[in-house]
Structures are given as C-alpha cells and as structure tokens.
Amino acid sequence: MTLSVLVVDDEPLVRAGLRALLELQPDITVVGEAADGSEVLDQVVATQPDVVLMDVRMPGTDGITATREVLAALAAPPKILVITTFDNDDYVHEALLAGANGFLLKRARKEEIAHAIRTVAAGESLLFPDAIRRLLTARPPAPATRATSSLTRREAEVLRLIAAGLSNLDIAAKLVISLETVKTHVGNIFTKLGAANRAQAVVVAYESGLVTPGAAR
C-alpha cells in the first residue's frame, strides 16, 4: 500500500528537500505541496492525502490554524504530522492540542521522517513518545483542560501504556486481553477525553496529572 503525503512549508527549498527524500521511499508518494496554511484545506480536498507534513510556523496562516481548519471541515481528515525546528516549541504543544497526530524535527534523518509518516498513518502507536514526554514535561504545570475522572481503572491503565508508547497490540499482550478489547478501551478514552487521537489524549493525560513523567516509561 502506498501512502500519499501533502507537504506544507513556506520555504521552497524545504519542500523540495522533503519531496526528494520521500520519493526515495517505495511506499510513499508526494501528491501535492502548499506554501502557507491558508492553502492546506483546498489542497487536502484536491489531493486526498493520507498524511499532511505541516510546518508549524509560517508567516501567513500557521500550522495550528490549518490543522484546526482541516479537522473541523472534513469527516475523514488525513493524519497531520507537524514539523518544527525546536522540540520544545510552544507551537507544537498547541498543534497537538488542536489535533495533530505527532511532531517531527526538521533535522530528522530521512529514515525517521519515513517512519513517522508510517506510524501516524497506521494510527495505533504514539509517535516518538520520549519526544512528546520531553515537550510536555518541559512546560510549567497547567490546569487540566478536560476531566479524566470519568475513565475506568482499566481505561486509565490503557492510557498510561499509550503514553509509554505501546501500540494496541503491545497493550493487548501486556494486559492479556484481546486486541478488540484494547481498541474498545482506546475508543472510550478518546470519547471521554474529547481527544481526536493518541497524541491529544496523552497531552490531556499529562496536563491532568493522570500520567506523570516517571510513570510513562
């Protein structure tokens, strides 16, 4: 199966470099480019990508706003992977809260970029949990934005394992339950937290105090 990607960045050289790297992968194809966040929704509708590589900082419409627009407008939106220069970027935190599936540093190796695209496309693993943990724990404590008290004990356990980077299959093996049961728990977690995906659920878990830096390892 070939994964289709839309590349969004205001720098032409960055777009060209990402396209060149991705076209070396046998299972990834670049279906379009955008130079500003204001172009993204139209490009997504036109090209129907599986994944959007979204620059988070752009001088016009930034990646956070573009992410919100895409997720609000489409019933079946693509996965969104934001790209940043700094791993402690406040823009990345806001993009994850907006519903982005993960983030990637611009200095990442081509193998990491391809792996990131495959991971977010599959949707059953958290992308680079150590990087997300560092991003969230480097921030000052914030009040919870969504209640986690409605989670059952098992759902809270599953969420902690998601934050540790375990896939659904890994969680099923660890808890000795079926894969379908894990998927049910994950769906319930997303619904109760108002989360669009794993990354957003983990942000909520950290900010609520349900997951602590020492626990999600």
Side-chain angles (χ1 to χ4, degrees), residues 159-171:
L159 180 53
R160 291 188 183 98
L161 294 175
I162 290 173
L166 274 68
S167 67
N168 287 354
L169 194 60
D170 293 333
I171 293 170

Side-chain angles (χ1 to χ4, degrees), residues 14-171:
V14 174
R15 294 198 307 274
L18 287 170
R19 177 183 280 275
L21 287 175
L22 295 176
E23 288 181 344
L24 294 174
Q25 303 299 317
D27 60 336
I28 297 174
T29 184
V30 176
V31 293
E33 298 180 12
D36 186 76
S38 61
E39 304 171 13
V40 173
L41 181 55
D42 286 345
Q43 283 292 314
V44 167
V45 171
T47 63
Q48 298 289 304
D50 297 305
V51 178
V52 178
L53 279 183
M54 180 91 75
D55 187 9
V56 73
R57 290 178 178 263
M58 290 178 281
T61 301
D62 62 37
I64 302 166
T65 302
T67 295
R68 291 194 182 108
E69 289 177 351
V70 169
L71 296 181
L74 302 177
K79 308 294 185 182
I80 297 179
L81 182 57
V82 296
I83 313 171
T84 183
T85 303
F86 307 106
D87 58 5
N88 62 348
D89 193 340
D90 283 344
Y91 274 60
V92 172
H93 176 259
E94 293 304 315
L96 293 177
L97 282 177
N101 298 84
F103 74 97
L104 188 66
L105 294 178
K106 288 190 175 181
R107 64 175 181 269
R109 301 188 305 273
K110 64 180 180 180
E111 295 83 5
E112 291 176 323
I113 296 172
H115 170 67
I117 289 169
R118 295 180 186 113
T119 298
V120 298
E124 295 195 354
S125 295
L126 181 67
L127 177 63
F128 305 146
D130 288 340
I132 291 179
R133 184 184 305 121
R134 287 195 300 272
L135 171 71
L136 298 177
T137 56
R139 299 173 56 80
T145 54
R146 303 178 182 87
T148 55
S149 58
S150 61
L151 297 179
T152 66
R153 181 182 60 82
R154 179 64 97 184
E155 288 165 355
E157 187 176 17
V158 169
L159 180 53
R160 291 188 183 98
L161 294 175
I162 290 173
L166 274 68
S167 67
N168 287 354
L169 194 60
D170 293 333
I171 293 170

Side-chain angles (χ1 to χ4, degrees), residues 153-203:
R153 181 182 60 82
R154 179 64 97 184
E155 288 165 355
E157 187 176 17
V158 169
L159 180 53
R160 291 188 183 98
L161 294 175
I162 290 173
L166 274 68
S167 67
N168 287 354
L169 194 60
D170 293 333
I171 293 170
K174 186 173 182 65
L175 299 182
V176 196
I177 57 179
S178 72
L179 182 58
E180 287 305 312
T181 299
V182 173
K183 290 180 178 179
T184 298
H185 286 318
V186 172
N188 290 340
I189 290 166
F190 290 176
T191 298
K192 290 180 178 181
L193 298 185
N197 53 51
R198 296 169 97 88
Q200 198 174 55
V202 169
V203 171

